[in-house]
Coordinates of all heavy atoms in Angstrom, one line a residue:
M1 N -45.8 6.3 41.4 CA -45.5 5.2 40.5 C -44.4 5.6 39.5 O -43.7 4.7 39.1 CB -46.8 4.9 39.8 CG -47.5 3.9 40.5 SD -46.6 2.6 41.2 CE -47.8 1.3 41.5
P2 N -44.4 6.8 39.0 CA -43.3 7.0 38.0 C -41.8 6.8 38.5 O -41.0 6.4 37.7 CB -43.5 8.6 37.6 CG -44.8 8.9 38.0 CD -45.2 8.0 39.2
D3 N -41.6 7.0 39.8 CA -40.3 6.8 40.3 C -40.0 5.3 40.2 O -38.9 4.9 40.0 CB -40.3 7.2 41.8 CG -40.2 8.7 42.0 OD1 -39.8 9.3 40.9 OD2 -40.6 9.1 43.0
R4 N -41.0 4.4 40.5 CA -40.7 3.0 40.5 C -40.4 2.5 39.0 O -39.6 1.7 38.8 CB -42.0 2.2 41.0 CG -41.8 0.7 40.9 CD -43.0 0.1 41.7 NE -43.1 -1.3 41.4 CZ -42.5 -2.2 42.2 NH1 -41.8 -1.9 43.3 NH2 -42.6 -3.5 41.9
D5 N -41.1 3.0 38.1 CA -40.9 2.6 36.6 C -39.4 3.2 36.2 O -38.8 2.4 35.5 CB -42.0 3.3 35.8 CG -43.2 2.7 35.8 OD1 -43.3 1.6 36.3 OD2 -44.3 3.3 35.5
W6 N -39.0 4.3 36.8 CA -37.7 4.8 36.3 C -36.6 4.0 37.0 O -35.6 3.6 36.3 CB -37.6 6.2 36.9 CG -36.3 6.9 36.7 CD1 -35.9 7.4 35.5 CD2 -35.2 6.9 37.6 NE1 -34.5 7.8 35.5 CE2 -34.1 7.6 36.8 CE3 -35.0 6.6 38.9 CZ2 -32.9 7.8 37.4 CZ3 -33.8 6.8 39.4 CH2 -32.8 7.5 38.8
V7 N -36.8 3.5 38.2 CA -35.8 2.7 38.9 C -35.7 1.3 38.1 O -34.6 0.7 37.9 CB -36.3 2.5 40.3 CG1 -35.3 1.4 41.0 CG2 -36.0 3.7 41.1
M8 N -36.9 0.7 37.8 CA -36.9 -0.6 37.1 C -36.2 -0.5 35.8 O -35.5 -1.4 35.3 CB -38.4 -1.1 36.9 CG -39.0 -1.5 38.2 SD -38.1 -2.8 39.1 CE -38.6 -4.1 38.1
T9 N -36.5 0.6 35.0 CA -35.9 0.9 33.7 C -34.3 1.0 33.8 O -33.6 0.4 33.0 CB -36.5 2.1 33.1 OG1 -37.9 1.9 33.0 CG2 -35.8 2.3 31.7
V10 N -33.9 1.8 34.8 CA -32.4 1.9 34.9 C -31.8 0.5 35.4 O -30.7 0.2 34.8 CB -32.1 3.0 36.0 CG1 -30.7 3.0 36.4 CG2 -32.6 4.4 35.5
T11 N -32.4 -0.1 36.2 CA -31.8 -1.4 36.6 C -31.8 -2.4 35.5 O -30.8 -3.1 35.4 CB -32.8 -2.0 37.8 OG1 -32.9 -1.1 38.9 CG2 -32.2 -3.3 38.3
D12 N -32.9 -2.4 34.7 CA -32.9 -3.3 33.6 C -31.8 -3.0 32.6 O -31.1 -3.8 32.0 CB -34.2 -3.4 32.8 CG -35.3 -4.1 33.6 OD1 -34.9 -4.9 34.5 OD2 -36.5 -3.8 33.4
N13 N -31.6 -1.6 32.4 CA -30.5 -1.2 31.4 C -29.1 -1.6 31.9 O -28.3 -2.0 31.2 CB -30.6 0.3 31.2 CG -31.7 0.7 30.2 OD1 -32.3 -0.1 29.5 ND2 -32.3 1.9 30.4
I14 N -28.9 -1.4 33.2 CA -27.6 -1.7 33.8 C -27.3 -3.2 33.6 O -26.3 -3.7 33.3 CB -27.5 -1.2 35.3 CG1 -27.4 0.2 35.3 CG2 -26.3 -1.9 36.0 CD1 -27.5 0.8 36.7
D15 N -28.4 -4.0 33.9 CA -28.4 -5.5 33.9 C -28.1 -5.9 32.5 O -27.2 -6.8 32.1 CB -29.6 -6.2 34.4 CG -29.4 -7.6 34.5 OD1 -28.4 -8.1 34.9 OD2 -30.4 -8.3 34.2
R16 N -28.6 -5.3 31.5 CA -28.5 -5.6 30.1 C -27.0 -5.3 29.6 O -26.4 -5.9 28.9 CB -29.4 -4.9 29.3 CG -29.4 -5.2 27.8 CD -30.5 -4.6 27.0 NE -30.8 -3.2 27.3 CZ -30.1 -2.1 26.9 NH1 -29.1 -2.3 26.1 NH2 -30.4 -0.9 27.2
I17 N -26.6 -4.1 30.1 CA -25.3 -3.6 29.7 C -24.1 -4.6 30.4 O -23.1 -4.9 29.7 CB -25.0 -2.2 30.1 CG1 -25.8 -1.2 29.2 CG2 -23.5 -1.8 30.0 CD1 -26.0 0.2 29.7
V18 N -24.2 -4.9 31.6 CA -23.4 -5.8 32.3 C -23.3 -7.2 31.6 O -22.3 -7.7 31.3 CB -23.6 -5.9 33.7 CG1 -22.9 -7.0 34.3 CG2 -23.4 -4.6 34.4
G19 N -24.5 -7.6 31.2 CA -24.6 -8.9 30.5 C -23.9 -8.8 29.2 O -23.2 -9.8 28.7
A20 N -24.0 -7.8 28.5 CA -23.4 -7.6 27.1 C -21.9 -7.6 27.3 O -21.2 -8.2 26.5 CB -24.0 -6.4 26.4
V21 N -21.4 -6.8 28.2 CA -20.0 -6.7 28.4 C -19.4 -8.1 28.8 O -18.4 -8.5 28.3 CB -19.7 -5.7 29.5 CG1 -18.2 -5.7 30.0 CG2 -20.0 -4.3 29.1
R22 N -20.1 -8.7 29.7 CA -19.7 -10.1 30.2 C -19.6 -11.1 29.0 O -18.7 -11.8 28.8 CB -20.5 -10.7 31.2 CG -20.1 -12.0 31.7 CD -20.9 -12.7 32.7 NE -21.6 -11.8 33.6 CZ -22.9 -12.0 34.0 NH1 -23.6 -13.0 33.5 NH2 -23.4 -11.2 34.9
E23 N -20.7 -11.0 28.2 CA -20.7 -11.9 26.9 C -19.5 -11.6 26.0 O -19.1 -12.5 25.4 CB -22.0 -11.6 26.2 CG -22.4 -12.6 25.2 CD -22.8 -14.0 25.8 OE1 -23.3 -14.0 26.8 OE2 -22.4 -15.0 25.0
K24 N -19.1 -10.3 25.8 CA -18.1 -10.0 24.9 C -16.6 -10.2 25.5 O -15.6 -10.2 24.7 CB -18.2 -8.5 24.5 CG -19.5 -8.5 23.5 CD -19.6 -7.1 22.9 CE -20.9 -7.2 22.0 NZ -21.2 -6.1 21.4
T25 N -16.5 -10.2 26.8 CA -15.1 -10.3 27.4 C -14.9 -11.6 28.1 O -13.9 -12.3 27.9 CB -14.9 -9.1 28.4 OG1 -16.0 -9.2 29.4 CG2 -15.0 -7.8 27.7
T26 N -15.7 -12.1 29.0 CA -15.5 -13.2 29.8 C -15.6 -14.5 29.0 O -14.8 -15.4 29.1 CB -16.5 -13.2 31.0 OG1 -16.4 -12.0 31.7 CG2 -16.2 -14.4 31.9
R27 N -16.7 -14.6 28.1 CA -16.9 -15.8 27.4 C -15.6 -16.1 26.5 O -15.1 -17.3 26.5 CB -18.1 -15.7 26.6 CG -19.3 -16.0 27.4 CD -20.4 -16.7 26.8 NE -21.6 -16.5 27.5 CZ -22.2 -17.5 28.3 NH1 -21.5 -18.6 28.5 NH2 -23.3 -17.2 29.0
P28 N -15.1 -15.2 25.8 CA -13.9 -15.6 24.9 C -12.7 -15.9 25.8 O -12.0 -16.8 25.5 CB -13.7 -14.3 24.1 CG -14.9 -13.6 24.0 CD -15.7 -13.9 25.3
A29 N -12.6 -15.3 26.9 CA -11.4 -15.5 27.7 C -11.7 -17.0 28.4 O -10.7 -17.8 28.4 CB -11.3 -14.6 29.0
I30 N -12.9 -17.4 28.7 CA -13.0 -18.8 29.3 C -12.8 -19.7 28.1 O -12.2 -20.8 28.4 CB -14.4 -18.8 29.8 CG1 -14.6 -18.1 31.1 CG2 -14.9 -20.3 30.1 CD1 -16.0 -17.9 31.6
T31 N -13.2 -19.5 27.0 CA -13.0 -20.4 25.9 C -11.5 -20.6 25.6 O -11.0 -21.7 25.4 CB -13.7 -19.9 24.6 OG1 -15.1 -19.7 24.9 CG2 -13.5 -20.8 23.4
V32 N -10.6 -19.5 25.7 CA -9.2 -19.6 25.4 C -8.6 -20.4 26.5 O -7.7 -21.3 26.3 CB -8.6 -18.1 25.3 CG1 -7.1 -18.3 25.3 CG2 -9.1 -17.5 24.0
V33 N -8.9 -20.1 27.7 CA -8.4 -20.8 28.8 C -8.6 -22.3 28.9 O -7.8 -23.2 29.1 CB -8.8 -20.2 30.2 CG1 -8.3 -21.0 31.4 CG2 -8.2 -18.8 30.3
R34 N -10.0 -22.6 28.5 CA -10.4 -24.1 28.3 C -9.5 -24.7 27.4 O -9.1 -25.9 27.5 CB -11.8 -24.2 28.1 CG -12.7 -23.9 29.2 CD -14.0 -24.3 28.9 NE -15.0 -24.0 29.9 CZ -16.3 -23.9 29.9 NH1 -16.8 -23.9 28.7 NH2 -17.0 -23.6 31.0
A35 N -9.3 -24.1 26.2 CA -8.5 -24.6 25.1 C -7.0 -24.9 25.5 O -6.5 -25.9 25.2 CB -8.5 -23.8 23.8
I36 N -6.5 -23.9 26.2 CA -5.1 -24.1 26.7 C -5.1 -25.3 27.7 O -4.1 -26.0 27.5 CB -4.6 -22.8 27.3 CG1 -4.4 -21.7 26.2 CG2 -3.3 -23.0 28.1 CD1 -4.1 -20.3 26.8
V37 N -5.9 -25.2 28.6 CA -5.9 -26.4 29.6 C -6.1 -27.7 29.0 O -5.4 -28.7 29.3 CB -7.0 -26.1 30.7 CG1 -7.1 -27.3 31.7 CG2 -6.5 -24.9 31.6
L38 N -7.1 -27.9 28.1 CA -7.3 -29.1 27.4 C -6.1 -29.5 26.6 O -5.7 -30.7 26.4 CB -8.6 -29.1 26.6 CG -9.8 -29.0 27.5 CD1 -11.1 -28.9 26.5 CD2 -10.0 -30.3 28.3
G39 N -5.4 -28.5 25.9 CA -4.2 -28.8 25.2 C -3.1 -29.3 25.9 O -2.4 -30.2 25.6
V40 N -2.9 -28.7 27.1 CA -1.8 -29.2 28.0 C -2.2 -30.6 28.6 O -1.2 -31.5 28.5 CB -1.7 -28.2 29.1 CG1 -0.8 -28.7 30.2 CG2 -1.1 -26.9 28.7
V41 N -3.4 -30.9 28.9 CA -3.7 -32.2 29.4 C -3.6 -33.2 28.2 O -3.0 -34.3 28.4 CB -5.1 -32.2 29.9 CG1 -5.7 -33.6 30.1 CG2 -5.3 -31.4 31.2
A42 N -4.0 -32.8 27.0 CA -3.8 -33.8 25.8 C -2.3 -34.1 25.6 O -1.9 -35.1 25.3 CB -4.5 -33.2 24.6
A43 N -1.5 -33.0 25.7 CA -0.1 -33.1 25.4 C 0.5 -34.0 26.4 O 1.3 -35.0 26.2 CB 0.6 -31.8 25.4
F44 N 0.1 -33.8 27.7 CA 0.7 -34.7 28.8 C 0.3 -36.2 28.6 O 1.1 -37.0 28.7 CB 0.3 -34.2 30.1 CG 0.7 -35.0 31.3 CD1 2.0 -34.8 31.7 CD2 -0.1 -35.8 32.0 CE1 2.6 -35.5 32.8 CE2 0.4 -36.5 33.1 CZ 1.8 -36.4 33.5
A45 N -1.0 -36.3 28.3 CA -1.5 -37.7 28.1 C -0.9 -38.3 26.9 O -0.5 -39.6 26.9 CB -3.0 -37.7 28.0
G46 N -0.7 -37.6 25.8 CA 0.0 -38.2 24.6 C 1.4 -38.6 25.0 O 1.9 -39.6 24.5
G47 N 2.2 -37.7 25.7 CA 3.5 -37.9 26.0 C 3.5 -39.3 26.9 O 4.5 -40.0 26.8
M48 N 2.6 -39.4 27.9 CA 2.7 -40.6 28.8 C 2.4 -41.8 27.9 O 3.0 -42.8 28.1 CB 1.7 -40.3 29.8 CG 2.0 -39.3 30.9 SD 3.6 -39.7 31.6 CE 3.3 -41.2 32.5
A49 N 1.5 -41.6 27.0 CA 1.1 -42.8 26.1 C 2.3 -43.3 25.2 O 2.5 -44.5 25.1 CB -0.2 -42.6 25.3
L50 N 3.0 -42.3 24.7 CA 4.1 -42.6 23.9 C 5.2 -43.3 24.8 O 5.8 -44.3 24.4 CB 4.7 -41.3 23.3 CG 5.9 -41.5 22.4 CD1 5.5 -42.3 21.1 CD2 6.4 -40.1 21.9
L51 N 5.4 -42.8 26.0 CA 6.4 -43.3 26.9 C 6.0 -44.8 27.3 O 6.9 -45.6 27.2 CB 6.6 -42.5 28.2 CG 7.6 -42.9 29.1 CD1 9.0 -42.8 28.6 CD2 7.4 -42.1 30.3
L52 N 4.8 -44.9 27.6 CA 4.4 -46.3 27.9 C 4.5 -47.3 26.8 O 4.8 -48.4 26.9 CB 3.0 -46.3 28.5 CG 2.8 -45.7 29.9 CD1 1.4 -45.6 30.2 CD2 3.6 -46.5 30.9
L53 N 4.2 -46.7 25.5 CA 4.3 -47.6 24.3 C 5.7 -48.0 24.0 O 6.0 -49.2 23.8 CB 3.8 -46.8 23.1 CG 3.9 -47.5 21.8 CD1 3.0 -48.7 21.6 CD2 3.7 -46.5 20.6
I54 N 6.6 -47.1 24.2 CA 8.2 -47.4 24.1 C 8.5 -48.3 25.1 O 9.3 -49.4 24.7 CB 9.0 -46.2 24.1 CG1 8.7 -45.3 22.8 CG2 10.4 -46.5 24.1 CD1 9.3 -43.9 22.8
I55 N 8.2 -48.3 26.4 CA 8.5 -49.1 27.4 C 8.0 -50.5 27.1 O 8.7 -51.6 27.2 CB 8.0 -48.7 28.7 CG1 8.8 -47.5 29.3 CG2 8.1 -49.8 29.8 CD1 8.2 -46.8 30.5
G56 N 6.6 -50.6 26.5 CA 6.1 -51.9 26.2 C 6.9 -52.5 25.1 O 7.1 -53.7 25.1
L57 N 7.2 -51.7 24.1 CA 8.0 -52.2 22.9 C 9.3 -52.8 23.3 O 9.7 -53.9 22.9 CB 8.1 -51.2 21.8 CG 7.0 -50.9 21.0 CD1 7.3 -49.7 20.2 CD2 6.6 -52.1 20.1
V58 N 10.0 -52.2 24.3 CA 11.3 -52.6 24.7 C 11.1 -54.0 25.4 O 11.8 -55.0 25.2 CB 12.0 -51.6 25.6 CG1 13.2 -52.3 26.3 CG2 12.4 -50.4 24.8
R59 N 10.1 -54.1 26.3 CA 9.8 -55.4 27.0 C 9.5 -56.4 26.0 O 9.9 -57.6 26.2 CB 8.8 -55.1 28.1 CG 9.2 -54.3 29.2 CD 8.2 -54.1 30.2 NE 7.9 -55.3 30.8 CZ 8.2 -55.7 32.1 NH1 8.8 -54.9 32.8 NH2 7.8 -56.8 32.5
L60 N 8.6 -56.1 25.0 CA 8.3 -57.1 24.1 C 9.5 -57.7 23.2 O 9.6 -58.8 23.1 CB 7.2 -56.5 23.1 CG 6.6 -57.5 22.1 CD1 5.7 -58.5 22.7 CD2 5.9 -56.7 21.0
V61 N 10.3 -56.7 22.8 CA 11.5 -57.0 22.0 C 12.4 -57.9 22.9 O 13.0 -58.9 22.4 CB 12.2 -55.9 21.3 CG1 13.4 -56.2 20.8 CG2 11.3 -55.2 20.3
N62 N 12.5 -57.5 24.2 CA 13.4 -58.2 25.0 C 13.0 -59.6 25.3 O 13.8 -60.5 25.5 CB 13.5 -57.4 26.4 CG 14.6 -57.9 27.2 OD1 15.6 -58.4 26.7 ND2 14.5 -57.8 28.5
N63 N 11.6 -59.9 25.3 CA 11.2 -61.2 25.4 C 11.4 -62.1 24.2 O 11.6 -63.3 24.3 CB 9.7 -61.2 25.7 CG 9.4 -60.8 27.1 OD1 10.2 -61.0 28.1 ND2 8.2 -60.3 27.4
F64 N 11.4 -61.6 23.0 CA 11.5 -62.4 21.9 C 12.9 -62.4 21.3 O 13.3 -63.3 20.5 CB 10.6 -61.8 20.7 CG 9.1 -62.1 21.1 CD1 8.2 -61.2 21.3 CD2 8.7 -63.4 21.1 CE1 7.0 -61.4 21.6 CE2 7.3 -63.7 21.5 CZ 6.5 -62.7 21.7
V65 N 13.8 -61.5 21.7 CA 15.2 -61.5 21.2 C 16.1 -62.0 22.3 O 16.1 -61.4 23.3 CB 15.6 -60.1 20.6 CG1 17.0 -60.1 20.3 CG2 14.8 -59.7 19.4
P66 N 16.9 -63.0 22.0 CA 17.7 -63.6 23.1 C 18.9 -62.6 23.3 O 19.3 -61.9 22.4 CB 18.3 -64.8 22.5 CG 18.1 -64.7 21.0 CD 17.0 -63.9 20.8
G67 N 19.4 -62.6 24.6 CA 20.5 -61.8 24.8 C 20.1 -60.7 25.9 O 19.0 -60.7 26.4
P68 N 21.1 -59.7 26.2 CA 20.8 -58.8 27.3 C 19.9 -57.7 26.7 O 19.6 -57.7 25.5 CB 22.2 -58.2 27.4 CG 23.1 -58.6 26.3 CD 22.5 -59.8 25.7
V69 N 19.5 -56.9 27.6 CA 18.5 -55.8 27.3 C 18.9 -54.8 26.3 O 18.1 -54.2 25.6 CB 17.8 -55.3 28.6 CG1 18.7 -54.3 29.2 CG2 16.5 -54.6 28.3
W70 N 20.2 -54.6 26.3 CA 20.7 -53.5 25.4 C 20.4 -53.8 24.0 O 20.4 -52.9 23.2 CB 22.2 -53.2 25.7 CG 23.2 -54.3 25.4 CD1 23.6 -55.3 26.2 CD2 23.8 -54.5 24.0 NE1 24.5 -56.1 25.5 CE2 24.6 -55.7 24.2 CE3 23.7 -54.0 22.8 CZ2 25.3 -56.3 23.1 CZ3 24.4 -54.4 21.7 CH2 25.1 -55.7 22.0
I71 N 20.3 -55.1 23.6 CA 20.0 -55.5 22.2 C 18.6 -54.9 21.9 O 18.3 -54.3 20.8 CB 20.1 -56.9 22.0 CG1 21.6 -57.4 22.2 CG2 19.6 -57.3 20.6 CD1 21.8 -58.9 22.1
A72 N 17.7 -55.1 22.8 CA 16.3 -54.5 22.6 C 16.4 -53.0 22.5 O 15.7 -52.4 21.6 CB 15.3 -54.9 23.8
Y73 N 17.1 -52.4 23.3 CA 17.4 -50.8 23.3 C 17.9 -50.5 21.8 O 17.5 -49.5 21.3 CB 18.2 -50.4 24.3 CG 17.7 -50.4 25.7 CD1 18.6 -50.8 26.8 CD2 16.4 -50.2 26.0 CE1 18.1 -50.7 28.2 CE2 15.8 -50.3 27.2 CZ 16.7 -50.5 28.3 OH 16.2 -50.5 29.6
L74 N 18.9 -51.2 21.4 CA 19.5 -51.0 20.2 C 18.5 -51.1 19.0 O 18.4 -50.3 18.1 CB 20.7 -51.9 19.9 CG 21.5 -51.7 18.5 CD1 22.1 -50.4 18.6 CD2 22.4 -52.9 18.4
I75 N 17.7 -52.1 19.0 CA 16.7 -52.4 18.0 C 15.6 -51.3 17.9 O 15.4 -50.6 16.9 CB 16.1 -53.8 18.1 CG1 17.0 -54.9 17.8 CG2 14.9 -53.9 17.1 CD1 16.6 -56.3 18.2
I76 N 15.0 -51.0 19.2 CA 14.0 -50.0 19.3 C 14.7 -48.6 18.9 O 14.0 -47.8 18.1 CB 13.4 -49.9 20.7 CG1 12.7 -51.2 20.9 CG2 12.5 -48.8 20.7 CD1 11.6 -51.5 20.1
G77 N 15.8 -48.3 19.3 CA 16.5 -47.0 19.1 C 16.7 -46.8 17.6 O 16.6 -45.7 17.0
S78 N 17.2 -47.9 17.0 CA 17.4 -47.9 15.5 C 16.2 -47.7 14.7 O 16.2 -46.9 13.8 CB 18.1 -49.1 15.0 OG 19.3 -49.4 15.7
V79 N 15.1 -48.3 15.1 CA 13.9 -48.1 14.4 C 13.4 -46.7 14.6 O 13.0 -46.0 13.6 CB 12.8 -49.1 14.9 CG1 11.4 -48.7 14.4 CG2 13.2 -50.5 14.5
L80 N 13.4 -46.1 15.8 CA 12.9 -44.7 16.0 C 13.9 -43.7 15.4 O 13.5 -42.7 14.9 CB 13.1 -44.4 17.5 CG 11.9 -45.2 18.4 CD1 12.1 -44.9 19.8 CD2 10.5 -44.8 17.9
A81 N 15.2 -44.0 15.3 CA 16.2 -43.0 14.5 C 15.8 -43.1 13.0 O 15.8 -42.0 12.4 CB 17.6 -43.5 14.8
I82 N 15.5 -44.2 12.5 CA 15.2 -44.3 11.1 C 13.8 -43.6 10.8 O 13.8 -42.9 9.8 CB 15.2 -45.8 10.6 CG1 16.5 -46.4 10.6 CG2 14.5 -45.9 9.2 CD1 16.6 -47.9 10.4
V83 N 12.9 -43.9 11.6 CA 11.6 -43.0 11.5 C 11.9 -41.5 11.7 O 11.4 -40.8 10.8 CB 10.6 -43.5 12.5 CG1 9.4 -42.7 12.6 CG2 10.2 -45.0 12.2
G84 N 12.6 -41.1 12.5 CA 13.1 -39.7 12.6 C 13.7 -39.2 11.4 O 13.4 -38.1 10.9
L85 N 14.6 -40.0 10.8 CA 15.3 -39.5 9.6 C 14.4 -39.3 8.5 O 14.5 -38.4 7.6 CB 16.6 -40.5 9.2 CG 17.7 -40.4 10.2 CD1 18.7 -41.5 10.0 CD2 18.4 -39.0 10.1
I86 N 13.5 -40.4 8.3 CA 12.6 -40.3 7.2 C 11.5 -39.0 7.4 O 11.3 -38.4 6.4 CB 11.7 -41.6 7.3 CG1 12.5 -42.7 6.8 CG2 10.4 -41.4 6.3 CD1 11.9 -44.1 6.9
L87 N 11.1 -38.8 8.7 CA 10.3 -37.6 8.9 C 11.1 -36.3 8.6 O 10.4 -35.4 8.1 CB 9.6 -37.7 10.3 CG 8.7 -38.8 10.6 CD1 8.3 -38.7 12.0 CD2 7.4 -38.6 9.6
M88 N 12.3 -36.2 9.0 CA 13.1 -35.1 8.6 C 13.2 -34.9 7.2 O 13.2 -33.7 6.7 CB 14.5 -35.1 9.4 CG 14.4 -34.9 10.9 SD 13.8 -33.3 11.3 CE 15.3 -32.3 10.9
R89 N 13.4 -35.9 6.5 CA 13.6 -35.8 5.0 C 12.3 -35.3 4.4 O 12.3 -34.5 3.5 CB 14.0 -37.2 4.4 CG 14.3 -37.0 3.0 CD 15.1 -38.3 2.5 NE 15.4 -38.2 1.2 CZ 16.6 -38.1 0.7 NH1 17.6 -38.2 1.7 NH2 17.0 -38.0 -0.5
L90 N 11.2 -35.8 4.9 CA 9.9 -35.3 4.3 C 9.6 -33.9 4.7 O 9.1 -33.1 3.9 CB 8.8 -36.2 4.9 CG 8.7 -37.6 4.4 CD1 7.6 -38.5 5.1 CD2 8.5 -37.7 2.9
R91 N 10.1 -33.5 5.9 CA 9.9 -32.1 6.3 C 10.6 -31.2 5.4 O 10.2 -30.1 5.0 CB 10.4 -31.9 7.7 CG 10.2 -30.5 8.2 CD 10.8 -30.4 9.5 NE 12.2 -30.3 9.4 CZ 12.9 -29.2 9.9 NH1 12.4 -28.3 10.6 NH2 14.2 -29.2 9.8
W92 N 11.9 -31.5 5.1 CA 12.7 -30.7 4.2 C 12.2 -30.6 2.7 O 12.2 -29.7 2.0 CB 14.2 -31.1 4.1 CG 14.8 -30.6 5.4 CD1 15.3 -31.5 6.3 CD2 15.1 -29.3 5.8 NE1 15.8 -30.8 7.4 CE2 15.7 -29.5 7.1 CE3 14.9 -28.1 5.3 CZ2 16.1 -28.4 7.9 CZ3 15.3 -27.0 6.1 CH2 15.9 -27.1 7.4
A93 N 11.5 -31.8 2.3 CA 11.0 -31.9 1.0 C 9.8 -31.0 0.8 O 9.3 -30.5 -0.3 CB 10.6 -33.3 0.6
R94 N 9.0 -30.7 1.8 CA 7.8 -29.8 1.8 C 7.9 -28.4 1.7 O 7.2 -27.6 1.4 CB 6.8 -30.1 3.0 CG 6.3 -31.5 2.9 CD 5.3 -31.6 4.1 NE 4.9 -33.0 4.2 CZ 4.4 -33.6 5.3 NH1 4.3 -32.8 6.4 NH2 4.2 -34.8 5.3
L95 N 9.3 -27.9 2.1 CA 9.5 -26.4 2.2 C 9.5 -25.9 0.8 O 9.9 -26.5 -0.2 CB 10.9 -26.2 2.8 CG 11.0 -26.5 4.2 CD1 12.5 -26.2 4.7 CD2 10.1 -25.6 5.0
P96 N 8.9 -24.7 0.6 CA 8.9 -24.1 -0.8 C 10.2 -23.7 -1.3 O 11.2 -23.3 -0.5 CB 8.1 -22.9 -0.5 CG 8.1 -22.5 0.9 CD 8.3 -23.8 1.6
A97 N 10.3 -23.8 -2.6 CA 11.7 -23.5 -3.2 C 11.8 -22.1 -3.5 O 11.1 -21.2 -3.5 CB 11.8 -24.3 -4.4

């Protein structure tokens, strides 16, 4: 019987050590990979939503403003350029002196 107890003790110790190593190495790696994958998916979905929003805005402006479609492009482009300039100005204002 002492041989059986020794084998069970060694097996339990090995199982505990392997579990501890897995807990300290594999779990953080899985967490990091999940965060990266979800970030890429969120960035792709956000980019697609922004693209569809701009397309919808161009179609909406084109329906309400008479004339060719380039006028809608000009209006939407001007608005986006102004928003970009305002954001760039705010960015430079936040930098430490």
Side-chain angles (χ1 to χ4, degrees):
M1 273 314 201
D3 289 337
R4 181 175 166 91
D5 291 336
W6 180 79
V7 170
M8 293 298 287
T9 304
V10 170
T11 304
D12 288 341
N13 285 339
I14 290 173
D15 188 41
R16 185 175 41 81
I17 290 170
V18 168
V21 168
R22 182 184 326 138
E23 191 71 30
K24 291 184 179 178
T25 57
T26 306
R27 288 217 193 257
I30 289 173
T31 304
V32 167
V33 169
R34 279 185 185 161
I36 291 171
V37 168
L38 290 176
V40 168
V41 169
F44 181 75
M48 290 301 296
L50 182 65
L51 180 66
L52 291 173
L53 176 70
I54 291 173
I55 290 171
L57 283 174
V58 168
R59 291 181 62 112
L60 182 72
V61 170
N62 193 30
N63 283 335
F64 290 113
V65 174
V69 72
W70 66 266
I71 296 175
Y73 292 145
L74 181 68
I75 292 170
I76 298 294
S78 300
V79 169
L80 291 175
I82 290 170
V83 168
L85 287 172
I86 290 170
L87 290 176
M88 286 297 286
R89 187 172 185 110
L90 291 175
R91 184 185 74 122
W92 287 110
R94 289 186 195 156
L95 289 177

